[in-house]
């Protein structure tokens, strides 16, 4: 008898992680979680939509489409041959059973085409759909642009819809709150002017337990570089600041952080289409560095902030390229390693996989630098497929995660394709994902959790801090 | 019938060419002047080096990632476009007509057999595109009536040309219809989605410039 029992146990199928993801997705279908997408409520959107009038809608839409946009937008609309070749580029489409309404061109049809066809005379309900498409169904990750034979910039078209939505006052509540914070405090998280230097001092103290001479040089004029972070660092992930301080100190860097507003490089206003606020925030960021007369700005591990300081903010302010050299920490770490300024005492004991932040690959081609550093730190990088400049977005980017809790389930379910990618890695025995972007961490954490993937996420800085030689450390 | 033939083979040819030429010049001019007025950054970031690399990658099948992922579509698109460009320019009949007509110039012609195959490639390509529009959900979702009209405009001169060449149907009628449909296609190029023949260089080139020169990454 006991024999049979043992046999039954042995015959119990062991699910691979990929199978687990599929099972979970099926369950989500059965539970109606996908169907519930249609019923999501958001105070910011719903109250805004209730205030719309036909005149305001038409005037705003046409004001942006005819006033702010020009030939480029018109040419994209006229050139698109409706071939659908961009569809397979988009994780929203792939993750939602290839529902055509989530394909990149499908989303343009549901927004810009509709606006043009109706000469801006949308119903409030159609405006609601437009903002939902633009803010929650597209990460502006630009993958589709790499798959369209004409190179049509769908992210630009969707950004324009966000701009229209912003002007209509129908932006999702959570992200609008962070944009308001930018506008009022010049940082994303309502960090007060005195809280910021306090936090730096606190982190300096923390770091001194390990490295007694550690300083976080504040407002040091003429330093080699200014280090800037996103406001969620002082708010939620403070240890990253002392980690960075330790790395820079032990690598012998001449660096500083600003005391005044401008220290935050993040940018939610860019993602809500509030370009006026974006411009003010970016100007302050560049200016604070210029006042400190540093040679360049090195920024922390964030994707969207890099896009904003390297690619978008500068243009709004009339600078062809940023008025001061901008370096993402991926590139900076790679340089420190190449110059032999960081020595490792250890290597991470496992192989890892690398999730490329869209904004550092399609925004700056930093995939090789990222792998160079990750390979030095670990037993090697195993590639997801697709990866590097063809990576799938984590579905947090483009401000989608910042639209907050109402949209969380939709966001996670709309990236089942990423879960599958990760599950394949997990099935190959890879337990750790390295990703140099805060948003990607947020998005991937949720996916890992939802699909039960049990993987760990690391920043490059986490690994460097953990594994580097620290001659200045006590003990 | 003869009057119809005389019309489409005489004055209408010139009218069609004139509209095509002037329309195309207008299209390109308005594209560039409109860009200069409001989207000046397109010129600021334009990089010929990256644009040309990108044209090459997207015009040769299997050189771009997406083209590798869509092998059938790549082959059909490539053949159809090749036919659309080559057949009108390098068919013996067209060259002779133009030489006798007004240009007084001639150039090498494709062997008739090859031109015939190329014409059929265009027809097959258009059928394939129509099939995609009808069957693939992601294409169907964004397809409207005008997309089929465009396909019809393109397929008509090639179909009638092939029929005339093979002597199917009444020859004079086919030849006349062939000329008329060719003229319609020429006229349609600058004013419909067929203008992607002109705007491709702009959208592709600008994207390539941004990706290559600013973002240091390929756009293929
Ligand atoms: S999420 Fe990325 S791939 Fe999808 S439509 Fe937006 S930019 Fe394109
Ligand atoms: S691939 Fe380009 S041309 Fe084709 S549907 Fe998508 S955006 Fe339009
Ligand atoms: S959060 Fe990361 S993966 Fe997602 S869009 Fe930003 S950079 Fe891309």
């Amino acid at each position: 008898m006991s024999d049979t029992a043992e046999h039954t146990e042995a015959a119990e199928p062991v699910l691979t992680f990929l199978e687990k993801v599929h099972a979970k997705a099926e369950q989500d279908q059965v539970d109606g979680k996908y169907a519930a997408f249609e019923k999501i409520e958001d105070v910011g959107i719903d109250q805004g939509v209730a205030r719309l009038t036909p005149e305001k809608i038409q005037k705003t839409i046409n004001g942006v489409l005819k006033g702010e946009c020009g030939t480029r937008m018109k040419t994209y609309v006229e050139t698109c041959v409706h071939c659908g070749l961009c569809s397979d580029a988009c994780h929203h489409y792939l993750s939602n059973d290839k529902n055509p309404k989530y394909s990149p061109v499908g989303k343009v049809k549901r927004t810009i085409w509709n606006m043009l066809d109706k000469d801006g005379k949308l119903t409030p309900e159609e405006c609601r759909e437009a903002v939902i498409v633009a803010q929650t169904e597209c990460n502006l990750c630009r993958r589709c642009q790499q798959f369209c034979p004409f190179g049509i910039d769908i992210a630009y078209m969707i950004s324009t819809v966000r701009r229209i939505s912003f002007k209509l006052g129908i932006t999702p509540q959570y992200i609008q709150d962070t944009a308001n914070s930018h506008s009022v405090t010049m940082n994303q998280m309502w960090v007060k002017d005195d809280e910021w230097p306090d936090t730096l001092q606190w982190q300096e103290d923390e770091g001194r337990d390990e490295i007694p001479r550690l300083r976080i040089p504040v407002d040091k004029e003429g330093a080699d570089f200014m280090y800037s972070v996103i406001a969620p660092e002082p708010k939620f992930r403070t240890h990253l600041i002392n980690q960075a301080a330790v790395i820079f100190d032990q690598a012998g860097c001449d660096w500083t952080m600003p005391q005044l507003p401008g220290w935050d490089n993040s940018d939610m206003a860019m993602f809500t289409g509030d370009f006026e606020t974006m411009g003010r925030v970016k100007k302050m960021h560049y200016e604070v560095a210029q006042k400190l007369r540093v040679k360049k700005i090195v920024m922390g591990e964030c994707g969207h902030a890099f896009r904003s300081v390297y690619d978008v903010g500068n243009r709004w302010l009339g600078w062809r390229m940023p008025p001061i050299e901008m370096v993402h920490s991926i590139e900076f770490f790679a340089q420190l390693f190449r110059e032999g300024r960081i020595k490792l005492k250890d290597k991470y004991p496992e192989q890892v996989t690398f999730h490329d932040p869209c904004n550092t690959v399609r925004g700056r081609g930093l995939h090789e630098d990222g792998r160079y550093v990750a390979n030095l730190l670990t037993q090697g990088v195993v590639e997801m497929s697709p990866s590097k400049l063809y990576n799938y977005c984590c579905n947090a980017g483009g401000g989608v995660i910042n639209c907050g809790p109402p949209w969380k389930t939709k966001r996670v379910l709309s990236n089942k394709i990423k879960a599958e990618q990760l599950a394949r890695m997990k099935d190959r025995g890879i337990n750790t994902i390295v990703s140099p972007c805060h948003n990607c961490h947020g998005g991937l954490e949720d996916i890992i959790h939802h699909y039960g993937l049990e993987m760990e996420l690391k920043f490059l800085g986490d690994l460097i801090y953990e594994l580097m030689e620290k001659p200045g450390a006590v003990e | 019938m003869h009057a119809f033939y005389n019309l489409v083979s005489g004055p209408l040819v010139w009218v069609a060419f004139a509209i095509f030429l002037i329309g195309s010049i207008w299209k390109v001019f308005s594209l560039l002047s409109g860009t200069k007025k409001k989207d000046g950054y397109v010129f600021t970031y334009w990089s010929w080096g990256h644009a040309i690399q990108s044209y090459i990658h997207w015009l040769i099948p299997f050189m771009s990632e997406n083209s590798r992922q869509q092998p059938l579509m790549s082959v059909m698109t490539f053949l159809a476009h090749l036919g659309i460009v080559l057949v009108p320019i390098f068919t013996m009949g067209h060259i002779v007509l133009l030489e006798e007509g007004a240009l007084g110039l001639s150039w090498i012609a494709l062997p008739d057999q090859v031109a015939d195959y190329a014409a059929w490639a265009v027809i097959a390509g258009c059928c394939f595109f129509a099939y995609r529009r009808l069957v693939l959900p992601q294409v169907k979702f964004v397809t409207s009536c005008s997309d089929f009209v465009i396909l019809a405009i393109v397929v008509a001169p090639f179909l009638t040309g092939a029929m005339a060449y093979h002597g199917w149907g009444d020859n004079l009628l086919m030849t006349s219809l062939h000329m008329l449909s060719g003229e319609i296609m020429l006229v349609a190029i600058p004013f419909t989605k067929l203008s992607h023949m002109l705007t491709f260089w702009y959208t592709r080139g600008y994207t390539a410039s941004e990706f290559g020169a600013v973002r240091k990454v390929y756009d293929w």
Side-chain angles (χ1 to χ4, degrees):
Chain A
M1 265 330 265
S2 66
D3 246 342
T4 344
E6 260 177 41
H7 272 118
T8 345
E9 217 169 274
E12 190 80 19
V14 183
L15 291 186
T16 63
F17 280 91
L18 188 59
E19 287 162 343
K20 270 192 200 165
V21 168
H22 290 151
K24 180 79 178 157
E26 263 169 46
Q27 192 57 46
D28 289 336
Q29 280 286 6
V30 174
D31 295 347
K33 287 192 186 167
Y34 283 90
F37 287 3
E38 307 304 326
K39 295 195 272 304
I40 300 171
E41 289 171 11
D42 184 305
V43 191
I45 298 177
D46 296 328
Q47 291 188 354
V49 167
R51 283 192 294 264
L52 294 175
T53 58
E55 300 75 42
K56 173 157 185 175
I57 294 173
Q58 191 184 19
K59 196 168 154 237
T60 309
I61 293 177
N62 287 344
V64 174
L65 285 184
K66 294 180 187 158
E68 293 184 14
C69 297
T71 308
R72 190 174 146 221
M73 174 65 87
K74 189 166 157 260
T75 307
Y76 285 149
V77 175
E78 282 174 6
T79 302
C80 172
V81 293
H82 312 162
C83 62
L85 282 176
C86 48
S87 307
D88 282 337
C90 185
H91 51 284
H92 289 272
Y93 168 79
L94 295 173
S95 303
N96 282 293
D97 270 342
K98 301 202 167 192
N99 183 337
K101 74 179 206 178
Y102 295 106
S103 81
V105 62
K107 287 179 271 196
V108 176
K109 176 184 156 108
R110 291 162 67 207
T111 55
I112 298 274
W113 290 3
N114 199 19
M115 294 174 183
L116 289 173
D117 283 352
K118 299 189 171 147
D119 189 31
K121 289 191 200 107
L122 262 55
T123 62
E125 205 32 57
E126 286 172 313
C127 294
R128 188 174 189 278
E129 181 182 10
V131 65
I132 288 171
V133 169
Q135 290 280 0
T136 75
E137 295 173 6
C138 172
N139 305 79
L140 314 180
C141 76
R142 300 192 188 119
R143 191 170 193 266
C144 48
Q145 196 179 357
Q146 261 179 329
F147 281 71
C148 167
F150 298 94
I152 288 175
D153 190 350
I154 285 178
Y156 162 70
M157 300 167 93
I158 297 290
S159 299
T160 304
V161 180
R162 292 181 178 196
R163 171 89 175 143
I164 291 169
S165 307
F166 159 71
K167 291 196 146 192
L168 286 170
I170 56 173
T171 302
Q173 184 197 25
Y174 275 79
I175 191 168
Q176 184 56 50
D177 178 66
T178 56
N180 291 346
S181 172
H182 276 304
S183 175
V184 176
T185 64
M186 290 290 130
N187 72 72
Q188 187 193 331
M189 292 273 123
W190 301 100
V191 176
K192 308 240 179 60
D193 283 359
D194 58 342
E195 284 172 353
W196 165 247
D198 273 2
T199 307
L200 293 183
Q201 223 163 37
W202 163 41
Q203 285 310 304
E204 187 180 83
D205 277 348
E206 294 277 310
R208 282 177 171 218
D209 288 346
E210 187 185 17
I211 303 200
R213 66 152 209 215
L214 187 77
R215 295 297 313 271
I216 295 184
V218 172
D219 270 357
K220 180 180 172 198
E221 274 192 41
D224 272 348
F225 67 88
M226 175 181 107
Y227 184 59
S228 66
V229 296
I230 61 173
E233 287 206 21
K235 200 87 179 176
F236 307 120
R237 292 184 174 168
T238 24
H239 68 285
L240 293 177
I241 297 179
N242 90 53
Q243 281 186 7
V246 170
I247 296 172
F248 297 151
D249 179 78
Q250 296 300 294
C253 299
D254 175 19
W255 66 296
T256 187
M257 290 183 93
Q259 189 192 167
L260 294 174
W263 54 267
D264 175 17
N265 54 28
S266 71
D267 200 341
M268 284 305 125
M270 163 178 79
F271 284 150
T272 60
D274 178 359
F275 298 147
E276 290 77 9
T277 299
M278 171 188 79
R280 285 169 53 221
V281 173
K282 291 304 107 170
K283 184 156 179 272
M284 204 155 236
H285 184 58
Y286 300 134
E287 276 179 0
V288 85
Q290 283 166 331
K291 275 188 206 134
L292 290 176
R293 296 189 293 107
V294 293
K295 297 193 187 72
K296 61 185 169 200
I297 298 174
V298 173
M299 47 168 301
E301 294 179 66
C302 178
H304 92 271
F306 186 70
R307 179 189 193 128
S308 136
V309 293
Y310 177 75
D311 204 351
V312 183
N314 54 313
R315 298 182 192 217
W316 176 263
L317 294 170
W319 294 91
R320 181 171 190 268
M321 295 303 276
I324 177 160
E325 193 188 343
M326 275 291 162
V327 185
H328 191 275
S329 46
I330 299 175
E331 200 179 346
F332 187 68
F333 290 145
Q335 188 195 340
L336 290 180
F337 276 104
R338 285 196 186 101
E339 291 170 358
R341 290 166 70 181
I342 299 179
K343 303 238 171 6
L344 297 177
K345 64 174 176 355
D346 250 330
K347 273 201 172 206
Y348 192 70
E350 294 174 25
Q351 287 188 315
V352 297
T353 188
F354 199 97
H355 169 80
D356 290 283
C358 309
N359 291 312
T360 63
V361 284
R362 281 186 285 280
R364 190 61 175 84
L366 294 181
H367 43 287
E368 296 305 346
D369 273 356
R371 277 160 186 74
Y372 165 70
V373 176
N375 273 316
L376 288 174
L377 289 163
T378 65
Q379 305 301 319
V381 173
V382 180
E383 292 295 343
M384 283 187 254
S385 166
S387 69
K388 300 188 178 174
L389 57 153
Y390 300 112
N391 80 315
Y392 292 129
C393 169
C394 62
N395 209 7
V400 172
I401 196 171
N402 307 78
C403 294
W407 305 97
K408 182 175 169 188
T409 307
K410 179 175 180 180
R411 165 167 62 78
V412 174
L413 266 47
S414 291
N415 211 354
K416 187 180 77 191
I417 192 87
K418 189 92 228 170
E420 290 173 9
Q421 269 192 315
L422 297 179
R424 282 191 199 97
M425 287 292 111
K426 184 75 185 172
D427 283 332
R428 289 178 62 179
I430 310 292
N431 298 304
T432 308
I433 309 161
V434 177
S435 187
C437 167
H438 284 79
N439 265 328
C440 299
H441 275 232
L444 295 176
E445 255 162 34
D446 291 336
I447 287 170
I448 290 168
H449 182 75
H450 181 81
Y451 294 96
L453 293 173
E454 300 156 28
M455 293 175 94
E456 248 197 278
L457 276 161
K458 297 276 187 195
F459 287 103
L460 288 170
D462 289 332
L463 292 174
I464 299 176
Y465 171 78
E466 202 179 310
L467 301 164
M468 79 189 295
E469 272 182 12
K470 294 173 199 152
V474 285
E475 287 161 352
Chain B
M1 180 55 75
H2 274 283
F4 179 48
Y5 177 80
N6 288 339
L7 179 71
V8 293
S9 66
L12 273 193
V13 177
W14 302 113
V15 172
F17 264 110
I19 297 180
F20 165 69
L21 276 177
I22 294 168
S24 296
I25 291 168
W26 163 81
K27 181 84 199 170
V28 173
F29 177 78
S30 60
L31 185 63
L32 296 182
S33 66
T35 300
K36 193 158 166 242
K37 212 158 83 201
K38 270 186 166 172
D39 304 300
Y41 51 85
V42 171
F43 298 118
T44 311
Y45 292 96
W46 190 271
S47 151
W48 278 110
H50 291 101
I52 290 168
Q53 280 186 55
S54 179
Y55 298 150
I56 294 171
H57 275 85
W58 281 93
L59 290 175
I60 298 177
F62 306 116
M63 277 188 80
S64 69
E65 179 67 20
N66 199 11
S67 150
R68 282 192 288 274
Q69 289 183 11
Q70 312 270 350
L72 181 61
M73 179 66 175
S74 299
V75 171
M76 295 307 268
T77 310
F78 180 72
L79 290 178
H81 282 81
L82 200 67
I84 291 170
V85 175
L86 290 186
V87 174
I89 304 179
F90 296 104
T91 304
M92 188 52 105
H94 295 169
I95 297 174
V96 171
L97 275 179
L98 283 174
E99 190 187 5
E100 287 173 357
L103 284 183
L105 285 170
S106 77
W107 50 86
I108 303 183
L110 285 174
D112 284 352
Q113 193 69 53
V114 176
D116 185 43
Y117 286 148
W120 285 106
V122 176
I123 297 163
C126 290
C127 293
F128 176 70
F129 297 149
Y131 165 81
R132 288 181 87 246
R133 293 211 178 283
L134 291 168
V135 174
L136 300 186
Q138 76 273 31
V139 192
K140 202 169 156 187
F141 186 71
V142 289
T143 293
S144 56
C145 204
S146 61
D147 293 305
F148 288 105
V149 174
I150 296 287
L151 280 179
I153 290 178
V154 174
V155 87
F158 293 89
L159 189 63
T160 48
M163 288 172 82
Y165 172 72
H166 289 282
W168 299 342
D170 179 81
N171 203 276
L172 186 62
L173 177 66
M174 277 309 146
T175 313
S176 309
L177 286 177
H178 172 65
M179 290 179 149
L180 179 68
S181 56
E183 286 150 11
I184 292 175
M185 179 171 158
L186 267 184
V187 169
I189 289 175
F191 306 104
T192 64
K193 273 207 185 299
L194 293 177
S195 65
H196 71 257
M197 172 184 138
L198 304 166
T199 53
F200 167 85
W201 312 97
Y202 172 95
T203 56
R204 181 84 265 153
Y206 177 57
T207 286
S209 304
E210 285 278 4
F211 271 71
V214 179
R215 302 183 192 132
K216 316 282 180 214
V217 74
Y218 304 136
D219 63 327
W220 53 78

